Amino acid sequence: MTTTIGAPLNRIDARLKVTGAARYSAEMPVKNVAHAVLIQSTIANGRIADIDTAAAEQSPGVLLVMTHRNAPKLGGKQKSVQQPGEDYPLLQDDAIHYNGQHIGVLVAETFEAATHAARLVTVRYDEDKSVVRLGQVLDKLAVPQHFRGGARLPDSSRGNPDQEFVAAPVKIDQTYQTPIEHHNPLEPHAVIAVWTGDELVVFHSSQSVAGSHKTIAGHLGISDDKVRTVSHFIGGGFGSKGSTWPHVTIAAMAARIVNRPVKLVLTRRQMYTSNGFRPQTRQHLRLGADRDGRLIALRHDSLSHTASFGEWVEPCGLSTEIMYSCPNLGVSHRVAPTDTGIPTFMRAPGEASGMFALESAMDELAEALAIDPLELRLRNYAEQDEHEKLPWSSKSLKQCYERGAAAFGWNKRERQPGSMRNGDLFVGWGMASATYPMNRSKASATVRLQADGRAIVQCATQDIGTGTYTIIAQVAADAIGLPVERVTVQIGDSNFPEAPVSGGSQTAASVTPAVDAASRDIRKQLVDLATTGSFKGLRSEDLDVVDGAVVVKSDPSRRAEIGTLLAGRDALTATKGAEPGDEKKQFSMHSFGAHFVEVHVDPELGEVRVARYVGAFAAGRVLNAKTARSQIIGGIVYGLGMALTEETDLDHRSGRVLNGNIAEYLVPVHADVPDIEVILIEEQDPHVNPLGVKGMGELPMVGVAGAVANAVFHATGKRIRYLPIRPDKLLRTA
Amino acid sequence: MSDWDVSRRGFLQTTALTSGGFAFAQFVDRHGALAAEPEAAPSESAPARQRVTLQVNRTSHELTLDPRTTLLDALREHIGLTGAKKGCDMGACGACTVHLDGKRVVSCLTLAASAEGRRITTIEGLAEGDELHPMQAAFVEHDGFQCGYCTPGQIMSAVALVGEGRAASDDSIREFMSGNLCRCGAYPNIVAAIKSVAGGRA
Amino acid sequence: MYPFTYVRGDDRQAAVALAAEPGTEFLAGGTDMLQLLKDEVRRPRRLVEITSLSGMSEISSGPQGLRLGALARMADVADHPAVRDEYPVISQALLASASPQVRNMATIGGNLLQRTRCAYFRDTAMPCNRREPGSGCSAIDGENRLHAVLGGSDHCIATHASDLAVALVACDAVVVVTGPSGEQRIKLEDLHLLPGETPEKETVLQPGDLITAVEVPPLAFARRSLYRKVRDRASFEFALAAAAVALDIDGGTIRQARVALGGVGTKPWRSHEAEKALTGAKLETASFEKAAAAALAAARPLHQNGFKIILAQRTLIRALLTVGA
């Protein structure tokens, strides 16, 4: 039987997406829907002294203006969005924690009536002083209390990094900075809340339907099973839709009061104050090496900021712990509160910012030693995880370096910065490493095989654009023995068997083992059935399922169709769970990759354009070569934005987001992106999970900004240590 | 059906679909909350409304709208054509791109009233029956998207771009597609899809 | 959006009469107006749609020069053979503007009257003298990387956003205006006002005034013209700095020049200083550097936008080098 796993299959949901038939949350056909618009604060810190809703309430078509004065008091004890101890604003009091915080919601008959009336609400504040930038709170930095949800300590060290750094013959001692960035999925967060009696259906754009319905229930103080979250299509998330943010619950509260379904779609501007962001970081890197470039000491000390009402720490140093071989290594994380919203996971949280710093510093070390940057990395290759002191389950970074470098032509690189030209443009070649941990959580799935020969898979996972629908179909088809066209996939519904958040690149690694297990069970049931029916007298071992029929192994011409075998029955059904064991105690599990980039820099005007890109990645088994390649390209493009253009501008006095749109918050456009050559290196890794999958969502973004910064240095001799690398910084830097 | 009701409460049931490689759950709606098509909101309490007739995909739609209604909201909220997407509502992302009299425009910066009397084509009007438009087919084949949200706008823009004669080179395609943002970063695949369609005609 | 009524103007005089009434605004391509309406920066009670007015969309060229109907769309003007061949600077400025979709919608008249992208201007929650006279300028002590270094005042430093206006002002364009008091011709250079103490007053136009056309006089050496725009990303962005230049060259000497700058001024910035420096000068880098220094001599940097002074000079030098080559 030919396997479909790994094949570059077109997405099974592609047709719906190219015809406009795929329905995203705000597009679910709900009758009699009323339109809600959020009202947000215009100061960063203080209290609401007075809020006047009279004009809004009298505006035509308005059904409800809900503020902390009239909002239902929530019975939920756990109001947390992401961390214990966090008390997120849900219209429960008059406190203002940041500019753009929700202070009310207005519901009207039409979108037009609602958006205007929401502006008629006037607020008088008792305003307190506010601080909104990391640079303003450096004296308030503290040891995080909930680092990684308490799963580990914020600091680690091995050997004696401080002393050995002082003694090292070659040193790099630099600080790198990254700005606030916003996810900006193209689909804004959207909710339609529908109550029927005391039961609630919430259509909303969520990276975690299974988590979402519990969070909403928790907010409302009702039982989990009274809430159902549905999210068939998600127009991108990148971490912003991983948590269930307050607007979802607020929409549900409003719907209850107006006794109608309520639709609430965030405006693009509100997307900057309603669903987290990647926080500003300052990272102090100290690298000590011997004259051959071997690392002797390495310290990575990271600062980031969080909200005043909850702690979220950008874990910049975790990749550093495992990336290179170094006997003396220290990592720390400190955090301070600002009067901003709370940061959150944004594609490769920690790794993206942290590896910009580490990979820039490695490039600086290579320059200091006059060693080729790739050669420097090979000299410091980590043959095992020196942090956990465990062997790798698999690691193909050397192949990534080799094949990436060969495809790029890295050996033709002139070492001296500023020595390569394309006409009047300066040419720079830069490289960087990539790494991301293999994450996996418990998941379950149900498979039903029908008499018509079709299988239906149900799982409360979701497809945020990564291709989950398609890989589930491939895995189920293979495990049962069906053509992939005969598999229907139903996901994005909290009523289905539970699966984790689509975050941390864990969906494939978590969900496909469960789908595989349930599908194998179906196959077994089918074969067993055959031994009591069509192939009475034969043993299960004598039979196989091929192309949707049970066949006799020794004589494949003897076949029984599923319809025949299931005659008189409705279907075969199996639900299976799959979860990680203690394999992480025996192996360290990470994916790796290498970036090679060519930039062209106009030396007078400071324009940087990416001319060429090669990325080589190894992340276990590839389930679909086409969608995996797309994920890699997408991650690189996301990284190019981080490197060159993206920064959220806050007014430093008011904390107001100034470029809260996508005209002035600059994500890459077509013209910014060259051809990207992708090299996928397959790994056979029996340790990570039954399918050998590591996950590909975040890995390719890690290291992009470093590779670009290194290429810019190679082109110009200018080292930009504060993202993004825009013309003004190149002009200002000597 | 009975053994396939995964609903813990039977509130909204899921039915299994029987055709196609892909399907999402269909809802059985006991309480009448879900409609087959969205309805125009009731008119009694909204401000002064006006009658607007829109010619969309060769079908005429007579609507009664708040004058502030954009073409995009008219399509999505009043006609039920949700293919054109609202990404930024400020003309900066291109997800709402439709054709007006054959030219690509952003429908979020067009008042519905301004579109009266003009020929409007949306992504839903691109395919001929079950036959995908070649550009749609090329996007499928080249995986010119991930999440799919920008896709209708990309395709409408791409079809127009080929007509404008701007598909002559990769750089031209990139420049003249730059009004359509893709946050999933499918740009190289989109360029490949456009080239494959324009190949013979550029 | 504030509630408004929508009227379609079928007749130019009637449209002008309607628009002269308080609370009424014209609506053409709508690409800037709709954004301002959504942000409630503009709050008209009535919109008069003018796109169907006759005789305002034509593009023509002849011995009198170029005439662009005010309702001609940016894309059509950019692609017009006469514009491409005789005034490449105009075509290039248009193609460097916005996106293809926006260029299919936006009109020439509307482009000239687009409002600043200053974030404080477009956010009604923030003080802004231009939007709300007397409320204060948030940008002067605020985030001003993108703000103007030329033509600012203590009351406003908002950058004029148009690329087209920069190219047109370099070409001595004149706007033809019909208003309640009849028809008049205004040099484009005089259309926009410096903010001074009244930044809310952006142009010399009066209520009801309607730009019907833009006329560009014959300028033979505009065939040797160029628009160079520098921005953070490769496309679909407003300028950090831009230069529109045209050179009349006689052997190794510059007979005359046209220079205007974008992205750095509170209005489309014609630089007579640079032109003077170039007139009669040798065709060489030193002349261009002198002209660039003259163009930015009056520049006043704030704490984040000082780079624009150097960038604008270099952009101008680059444009001159390219067009002079």
Side-chain angles (χ1 to χ4, degrees):
Chain A
M1 148 126 224
T2 53
T3 176
T4 65
I5 291 184
L9 238 64
N10 290 338
R11 289 166 200 265
I12 63 171
D13 52 339
R15 189 183 178 93
L16 291 175
K17 286 179 174 176
V18 300
T19 56
R23 283 193 186 263
Y24 297 79
S25 294
E27 299 163 358
M28 297 302 286
V30 176
K31 207 158 55 176
N32 195 31
V33 72
H35 296 262
V37 170
L38 288 167
I39 302 161
Q40 298 187 322
S41 72
T42 57
I43 66 160
N45 189 20
R47 298 201 162 271
I48 297 170
D50 191 26
I51 186 161
D52 183 354
T53 57
E57 279 158 2
Q58 284 153 25
S59 188
V62 171
L63 302 169
L64 169 72
V65 185
M66 185 168 83
T67 69
H68 70 283
R69 291 191 169 165
N70 60 345
K73 293 300 162 206
L74 297 177
K77 284 179 186 164
Q78 175 57 281
K79 285 189 283 172
S80 163
V81 176
Q82 337 182 81
Q83 297 282 6
E86 180 183 320
D87 190 13
Y88 203 93
L90 276 164
L91 310 184
Q92 298 297 293
D93 57 38
D94 61 1
I96 303 296
H97 303 290
Y98 69 95
N99 205 321
Q101 174 193 315
H102 310 328
I103 56 172
V105 66
L106 182 143
V107 184
E109 292 285 354
T110 66
F111 173 71
E112 293 77 22
T115 48
H116 171 59
R119 285 180 172 271
L120 298 175
V121 173
T122 56
V123 186
R124 194 165 57 75
Y125 298 99
D126 287 335
E127 188 171 0
D128 293 328
K129 274 192 185 159
S130 57
V131 288
V132 300
R133 287 190 180 162
L134 180 56
Q136 295 170 308
V137 293
L138 296 176
D139 57 339
K140 297 193 180 67
L141 289 159
V143 177
Q145 300 302 300
H146 308 288
F147 189 71
R148 309 294 279 172
R152 56 157 286 168
L153 293 171
D155 296 3
S156 75
S157 84
R158 57 181 184 253
N160 193 342
D162 295 322
Q163 205 174 317
E164 295 297 329
F165 175 74
V166 173
V170 185
K171 296 186 183 69
I172 298 297
D173 186 343
Q174 292 291 354
T175 298
Y176 304 85
Q177 300 185 64
T178 62
I180 292 177
E181 294 160 14
H182 275 82
H183 314 76
N184 271 310
L186 251 283
E187 182 210 17
H189 286 250
V191 190
I192 303 177
V194 186
W195 285 93
T196 309
D198 64 349
E199 297 185 325
L200 173 67
V201 175
V202 183
F203 301 98
H204 89 97
S205 193
S206 173
Q207 289 174 240
S208 174
V209 291
S212 160
H213 83 111
K214 292 178 192 165
T215 305
I216 298 165
H219 286 171
L220 297 174
I222 61 178
S223 156
D224 285 3
D225 62 3
K226 297 288 185 193
V227 183
R228 179 179 185 182
T229 293
V230 176
S231 204
H232 292 153
F233 290 99
I234 299 105
F238 312 110
S240 73
K241 296 170 180 171
S243 307
T244 301
W245 296 92
H247 67 272
V248 182
T249 303
I250 288 172
M253 290 158 70
R256 183 102 220 188
I257 294 173
V258 300
N259 199 25
R260 273 171 68 172
V262 161
K263 180 189 293 196
L264 190 158
V265 182
L266 298 189
T267 65
R268 184 54 59 177
R269 183 187 283 281
Q270 290 169 343
M271 291 286 288
Y272 286 80
T273 54
S274 307
N275 38 255
F277 53 89
R278 196 195 299 277
Q280 216 184 335
T281 70
R282 280 194 190 194
Q283 303 172 55
H284 186 190
L285 267 288
R286 276 170 284 181
L287 275 57
D290 66 19
R291 302 221 176 266
D292 292 329
R294 285 186 186 80
L295 288 167
I296 296 167
L298 176 49
R299 274 213 69 87
H300 190 163
D301 299 297
S302 303
L303 317 176
S304 63
H305 64 116
T306 184
S308 60
F309 53 88
E311 182 187 286
W312 202 93
V313 184
E314 191 74 359
C316 298
L318 304 189
S319 303
T320 302
E321 292 176 335
I322 61 109
M323 190 65 230
Y324 297 110
S325 176
C326 180
N328 304 288
L329 185 141
V331 163
S332 76
H333 298 88
R334 296 292 178 270
V335 68
T338 49
D339 300 307
T340 61
I342 191 159
T344 192
F345 315 91
M346 179 164 160
R347 201 169 194 170
E351 291 85 4
S353 304
M355 286 289 278
F356 159 64
L358 177 64
E359 291 299 281
S360 293
M362 284 296 279
D363 205 64
E364 298 206 49
L365 181 60
E367 178 60 21
L369 290 159
I371 295 177
D372 178 86
L374 175 54
E375 173 59 26
L376 180 74
R377 285 163 175 85
L378 288 168
R379 286 185 195 177
N380 290 288
Y381 198 81
E383 298 291 353
Q384 63 157 337
D385 178 339
E386 294 181 8
H387 176 69
E388 297 285 355
K389 300 185 176 55
L390 288 173
W392 306 111
S393 62
S394 61
K395 178 177 181 179
S396 309
L397 179 57
K398 267 187 185 148
Q399 293 91 312
C400 294
Y401 288 145
E402 281 161 16
R403 290 188 51 194
F408 188 83
W410 183 257
N411 60 359
K412 297 188 192 71
R413 180 178 184 266
E414 302 275 347
R415 205 201 56 78
Q416 194 63 32
S419 56
M420 294 172 75
R421 291 282 188 287
N422 180 335
D424 292 334
L425 298 174
F426 286 25
V427 173
W429 289 8
M431 61 85 53
S433 308
T435 186
Y436 196 80
M438 199 292 297
N439 293 315
R440 184 187 173 198
S441 303
K442 183 181 177 181
S444 45
T446 296
V447 178
R448 167 188 158 99
L449 184 66
Q450 303 179 145
D452 64 0
R454 297 197 62 80
I456 296 164
V457 186
Q458 294 196 329
C459 177
T461 183
Q462 43 280 315
D463 189 334
I464 59 175
T466 48
T468 311
Y469 276 113
T470 308
I471 59 167
I472 287 177
Q474 288 175 272
V475 168
D478 253 30
I480 300 171
L482 284 179
V484 71
E485 300 76 26
R486 285 215 231 149
V487 181
T488 295
V489 180
Q490 298 186 333
I491 58 178
D493 187 329
S494 64
N495 269 6
F496 296 149
E498 190 159 340
V501 58
S502 288
S505 302
Q506 68 173 339
T507 298
S510 305
V511 168
T512 57
V515 172
D516 185 61
S519 301
R520 286 181 191 283
D521 190 82
I522 290 288
R523 181 193 188 106
K524 185 175 180 306
Q525 289 185 43
L526 187 62
V527 168
D528 290 349
L529 195 60
T531 60
T532 62
S534 304
F535 299 120
K536 213 166 193 168
L538 291 176
R539 293 167 309 165
S540 296
E541 308 81 279
D542 301 328
L543 302 176
D544 198 359
V545 185
V546 177
D547 261 349
V550 177
V551 301
V552 179
K553 280 180 184 168
S554 57
D555 180 6
S557 67
R558 292 178 62 197
R559 43 189 288 138
E561 300 300 324
I562 290 170
T564 315
L565 290 167
L566 264 61
R569 289 166 179 270
D570 187 43
L572 302 176
T573 303
T575 298
K576 291 284 175 189
E579 60 187 311
D582 65 354
E583 57 270 16
K584 279 201 174 179
K585 289 182 180 151
Q586 300 157 38
F587 295 100
S588 176
M589 302 176 179
H590 292 262
S591 48
F592 292 92
H595 301 271
F596 297 88
V597 60
E598 174 176 327
V599 299
H600 293 176
V601 183
D602 187 307
E604 277 114 34
L605 305 180
E607 292 168 320
V608 179
R609 301 288 178 252
V610 180
R612 207 155 64 85
Y613 210 107
V614 175
F617 302 92
R621 187 177 187 189
V622 173
L623 296 176
N624 181 316
K626 186 172 281 194
T627 56
R629 179 178 170 275
S630 293
Q631 270 192 290
I632 291 171
I633 290 173
I636 290 169
V637 172
Y638 215 88
L640 293 178
M642 178 184 195
L644 293 172
T645 53
E646 292 183 38
E647 174 171 18
T648 303
D649 295 325
L650 294 190
D651 180 75
H652 68 275
R653 301 152 300 188
S654 64
R656 196 91 181 141
V657 176
L658 296 177
N659 57 347
N661 56 54
I662 39 181
E664 274 106 0
Y665 182 97
L666 301 172
V667 307
V669 297
H670 272 280
D672 290 297
V673 180
D675 273 341
I676 294 173
E677 183 175 346
V678 171
I679 298 167
L680 265 170
I681 290 158
E682 284 260 7
E683 290 175 320
Q684 305 294 324
D685 188 332
H687 308 299
V688 284
N689 49 56
L691 278 108
V693 185
K694 287 181 179 173
M696 198 55 102
E698 286 156 282
L699 172 71
M701 151 132 209
V702 178
V704 178
V708 171
N710 297 343
V712 168
F713 174 80
H714 184 239
T716 63
K718 295 179 182 186
R719 176 65 61 183
I720 308 299
R721 300 187 184 89
Y722 188 179
L723 297 179
I725 304 169
R726 293 192 296 217
D728 46 321
K729 288 182 190 158
L730 280 166
L731 260 56
R732 283 193 191 111
T733 306
Chain B
M1 274 294 301
S2 55
D3 64 336
W4 186 235
D5 180 7
V6 300
S7 164
R8 289 182 291 266
R9 307 165 301 280
F11 167 43
L12 290 174
Q13 295 172 336
T14 304
T15 60
L17 291 196
T18 52
S19 67
F22 170 87
F24 57 75
Q26 302 293 298
F27 290 99
V28 175
D29 175 24
R30 271 190 210 159
H31 305 277
L34 305 180
E37 290 295 329
E39 290 182 344
S43 59
E44 66 272 15
S45 53
R49 296 179 151 250
Q50 64 189 106
R51 294 189 70 81
V52 176
T53 303
L54 295 180
Q55 203 68 36
V56 188
N57 303 332
R58 301 193 198 111
T59 305
S60 188
H61 298 268
E62 286 189 30
L63 307 170
T64 304
L65 298 175
D66 186 312
R68 296 171 290 186
T69 309
T70 62
L71 174 58
L72 177 61
D73 287 324
L75 292 169
R76 288 170 62 83
E77 302 292 338
H78 298 273
I79 299 176
L81 292 174
T82 56
K85 302 301 182 199
K86 186 181 281 192
C88 72
D89 214 18
M90 285 286 182
C93 76
C96 66
T97 301
V98 301
H99 295 175
L100 263 193
D101 294 334
K103 289 189 173 180
R104 48 175 163 161
V105 301
V106 283
S107 58
C108 72
L109 296 184
T110 306
L111 287 180
S114 300
E116 194 167 44
R118 304 180 68 180
R119 188 163 44 86
I120 302 159
T121 309
T122 71
I123 190 74
E124 291 93 341
L126 209 54
E128 293 285 342
D130 283 344
E131 180 98 357
L132 292 180
H133 184 282
M135 191 64 78
Q136 291 172 313
F139 268 64
V140 172
E141 195 56 38
H142 291 270
D143 210 31
F145 48 87
Q146 291 195 43
C147 80
Y149 200 75
C150 74
T151 311
Q154 299 276 1
I155 292 173
M156 295 309 285
S157 212
V159 169
L161 170 133
V162 173
E164 292 161 12
R166 298 289 191 185
S169 69
D170 288 12
D171 281 348
S172 176
I173 293 171
R174 289 186 187 118
E175 173 59 31
F176 287 89
M177 284 300 290
S178 282
N180 292 84
L181 274 55
C182 171
R183 188 55 159 162
C184 298
Y187 296 132
N189 292 353
I190 293 170
V191 172
I194 294 172
K195 274 164 69 175
S196 77
V197 174
R201 334 180 201 170
Chain C
M1 292 187 236
Y2 257 62
F4 55 75
T5 54
Y6 169 94
V7 192
R8 212 178 258 222
D10 299 319
D11 169 83
R12 194 182 297 185
Q13 291 318 314
V16 163
L18 277 179
E21 291 173 24
T24 306
E25 303 257 21
F26 293 119
L27 174 70
T31 54
D32 192 34
M33 178 62 92
L34 265 284
Q35 294 184 59
L36 295 162
L37 293 174
K38 288 178 184 188
D39 278 338
E40 298 202 353
V41 171
R42 292 177 97 161
R43 302 170 175 188
R45 306 315 301 253
R46 180 168 58 190
L47 284 176
V48 182
E49 159 119 25
I50 55 171
T51 47
S52 43
L53 294 185
S54 59
M56 280 176 59
S57 302
E58 286 72 18
I59 305 163
S60 59
S61 94
Q64 306 298 310
L66 187 65
R67 185 182 166 91
L68 310 174
L71 291 176
R73 311 284 172 167
M74 291 170 73
D76 295 331
V77 176
D79 277 349
H80 194 277
V83 179
R84 279 205 317 249
D85 297 345
E86 295 165 32
Y87 301 89
V89 65
I90 296 174
S91 180
Q92 291 165 11
L94 284 165
L95 290 177
S97 306
S99 69
Q101 293 95 314
V102 169
R103 296 195 294 266
N104 275 340
M105 303 165 68
T107 64
I108 297 304
N111 182 288
L112 299 180
L113 296 179
Q114 69 182 288
R115 310 295 291 274
T116 179
R117 296 298 304 185
C118 172
Y120 299 106
F121 171 76
R122 286 183 183 249
D123 182 355
T124 55
M126 300 297 289
C128 169
N129 286 326
R130 191 174 281 261
R131 192 188 63 247
E132 208 177 315
S135 61
C137 174
S138 300
I140 288 173
D141 295 319
E143 312 313 311
N144 50 36
R145 186 177 86 98
L146 300 174
H147 285 75
V149 291
L150 288 165
S153 71
D154 292 344
H155 304 276
C156 181
I157 52 168
T159 311
H160 196 272
S162 170
D163 294 297
L164 171 67
V166 176
L168 285 174
V169 82
C171 295
D172 293 317
V174 170
V175 292
V176 183
V177 176
T178 292
S181 48
E183 187 167 288
Q184 52 177 325
R185 283 179 155 64
I186 303 168
K187 282 174 71 179
L188 178 58
E189 201 178 338
D190 299 330
L191 177 71
H192 298 95
L193 298 169
L194 291 175
E197 295 188 2
T198 54
E200 73 279 9
K201 186 85 186 117
E202 296 194 353
T203 71
V204 298
L205 298 180
Q206 299 298 315
D209 279 351
L210 174 67
I211 297 177
T212 57
V214 176
E215 294 176 350
V216 188
L219 189 69
F221 69 87
R223 282 178 177 274
R224 189 189 279 272
S225 67
L226 180 97
Y227 192 74
R228 181 66 163 90
K229 178 176 179 179
V230 179
R231 40 190 163 179
D232 294 313
R233 72 180 173 192
S235 188
F236 201 4
E237 193 197 353
F238 294 92
L240 291 173
V245 299
L247 285 182
D248 183 5
I249 298 169
D250 180 13
T253 309
I254 299 162
R255 204 180 290 146
Q256 49 177 328
R258 295 286 186 277
V259 175
L261 299 174
V264 291
T266 53
K267 57 180 273 187
W269 200 262
R270 173 84 179 258
S271 180
H272 294 287
E273 299 82 0
E275 292 173 7
K276 200 176 152 197
L278 290 168
T279 305
K282 277 192 186 162
L283 188 68
E284 59 184 21
T285 306
S287 306
F288 301 157
E289 288 171 351
K290 228 178 266 178
L296 275 297
R300 294 283 171 272
L302 295 140
H303 66 286
Q304 292 173 349
N305 67 355
F307 77 96
K308 282 192 172 184
I309 296 176
I310 301 157
L311 182 60
Q313 292 186 42
R314 292 182 180 177
T315 306
L316 175 53
I317 293 165
R318 176 66 58 79
L320 290 166
L321 280 168
T322 309
V323 88

